[in-house]
Amino acid sequence: MIVRIMTEGQYMLPGSYIDRLNAIDDRIVDMVANNDRVKFQAELKKMLDLVRQKGRPVPWDELVESDIVLPHPDITIDEAKDLFVGDGLVPNSK
């Protein structure tokens, strides 16, 4: 799957990581709902690091549609309230 991190670029992330990504996404939805700023930043970092570490960067000159778009690393919890609602950003794989 192709995952875009806003302001950074796209990564080809093997589908085997979708459940881990979705679990983090679910936790972030809860933290945003509870306005837990400290845990939100920590989980967002885990989410973005998973993509960066397990994904392969897509070359800048290659145009591909993103399956998932993640926010930039500096997003505030207030900005995230419009994104991390309901099922979050990562589609449920089940």
Side-chain angles (χ1 to χ4, degrees):
M1 83 183 94
I2 302 295
V3 180
R4 173 177 292 281
I5 298 176
M6 298 301 294
T7 72
E8 289 186 25
Q10 293 177 301
Y11 295 83
M12 171 67 82
L13 184 69
S16 58
Y17 291 103
I18 188 74
D19 288 338
R20 285 177 57 186
L21 202 58
N22 197 25
I24 296 170
D25 185 51
D26 289 346
R27 288 194 298 270
I28 291 175
V29 168
D30 290 341
M31 290 166 197
V32 168
N34 293 320
N35 206 33
D36 189 335
R37 295 174 192 276
V38 174
K39 289 182 181 175
F40 163 74
Q41 288 296 333
E43 287 298 316
L44 180 62
K45 182 178 183 326
K46 283 183 192 175
M47 175 181 264
L48 300 180
D49 284 349
L50 174 67
V51 174
R52 293 174 185 134
Q53 293 168 4
K54 303 300 182 186
R56 178 181 53 81
V58 175
W60 286 100
D61 59 351
E62 189 174 325
L63 297 175
V64 291
E65 184 176 346
S66 298
D67 299 300
I68 299 170
V69 178
L70 301 179
H72 59 86
D74 297 326
I75 190 170
T76 66
I77 196 167
D78 292 327
E79 294 169 330
K81 288 179 180 176
D82 292 335
L83 300 174
F84 291 96
V85 294
D87 291 334
L89 299 176
V90 180
N92 202 341
S93 63
K94 296 175 184 164

